[in-house]
């Protein structure tokens, strides 16, 4: 799933990489970013969710990654930024140091007990990232700002 569908050269590069690698060609499905109401259905068909963020923006947040976590998908990402809050390395996914490791870990999930990781993702989503908990965190920030006016 991705927004690369608006970038023909990037999409061509991704398709070329897939076509040239028999080991992963049949295991990865490219899905242009769908309407938001279709995401749960798509996520529930997946084995894992991979997010590759920009090194120049390590603090970025990924709503699609949070949604994937809520749908119980193991997550794979580079070891940086807010993804350290979502991914418990080896428990519900993997934090990777480079793109080579990232691709290895995606394959490792497909070969492992990914359903155990899936359950852990859902547990983390419910325990740490429920809408109530997020709202309470925002409220604390707003209260702190107002107290300093």
């Amino acid at each position: 799933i991705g927004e690369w569908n608006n970038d023909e050269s990037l999409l061509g590069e991704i398709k070329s990489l897939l076509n040239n690698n028999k080991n992963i060609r049949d295991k990865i499905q490219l899905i242009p970013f769908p309407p938001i109401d279709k995401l749960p259905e798509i996520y529930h068909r997946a084995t894992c969710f991979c997010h590759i963020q920009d090194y120049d923006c390590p603090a970025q947040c990924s709503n699609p990654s949070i949604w994937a976590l809520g749908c119980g998908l193991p997550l794979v990402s580079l070891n940086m930024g807010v993804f350290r809050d979502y991914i418990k390395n080896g428990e519900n996914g993997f934090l990777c140091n480079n793109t080579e490791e990232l691709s290895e870990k995606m394959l490792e999930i497909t070969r492992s007990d990914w359903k155990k990781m899936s359950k852990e993702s859902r547990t983390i989503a419910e325990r740490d990232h429920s809408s109530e908990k997020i709202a309470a965190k925002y409220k604390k920030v707003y209260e702190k700002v107002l107290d300093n006016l």
Side-chain angles (χ1 to χ4, degrees):
I1 297 175
E3 296 181 39
W4 41 259
N5 53 311
N6 294 326
D7 185 337
E8 288 298 321
S9 64
L10 179 58
L11 179 57
E13 188 177 331
I14 292 169
K15 285 181 177 180
S16 175
L17 287 169
L18 286 175
N19 289 333
N20 292 329
N21 190 326
K22 289 187 265 184
N23 294 329
I24 63 170
R25 179 175 32 216
D26 299 328
K27 294 182 172 127
I28 294 179
Q29 181 182 8
L30 298 176
I31 304 170
F33 205 82
I36 197 165
D37 63 327
K38 300 289 183 195
L39 288 175
E41 173 189 332
I42 292 168
Y43 285 171
H44 283 105
R45 291 192 325 242
T47 303
C48 71
F49 185 88
C50 175
H51 184 267
I52 303 172
Q53 68 275 24
D54 187 347
Y55 275 111
D56 295 331
C57 187
Q60 72 182 8
C61 181
S62 166
N63 283 338
S65 293
I66 294 289
W67 300 331
L69 188 76
C71 287
L73 284 175
L75 303 176
V76 182
S77 178
L78 294 174
N79 187 7
M80 61 189 302
V82 298
F83 293 92
R84 294 180 187 124
D85 294 336
Y86 312 143
I87 301 172
K88 307 304 177 207
N89 205 29
E91 294 178 29
N92 74 316
F94 294 103
L95 292 164
C96 305
N97 296 312
N98 54 54
T99 54
E100 290 80 16
E101 184 181 0
L102 191 135
S103 62
E104 290 168 9
K105 294 300 183 181
M106 285 174 53
L107 289 174
E108 185 175 323
I109 286 175
T110 66
R111 296 181 188 124
S112 68
D113 184 4
W114 65 270
K115 289 185 180 185
K116 182 177 178 183
M117 284 186 161
S118 176
K119 286 180 184 176
E120 186 61 22
S121 281
R122 182 65 187 171
T123 298
I124 290 169
E126 290 174 349
R127 182 188 66 222
D128 301 339
H129 303 287
S130 69
S131 56
E132 293 83 10
K133 286 210 176 200
I134 299 302
K137 288 178 183 180
Y138 273 112
K139 183 179 177 195
K140 283 183 184 179
V141 170
Y142 294 146
E143 287 171 346
K144 190 173 183 178
V145 169
L146 292 172
D147 287 344
N148 289 319
L149 290 179

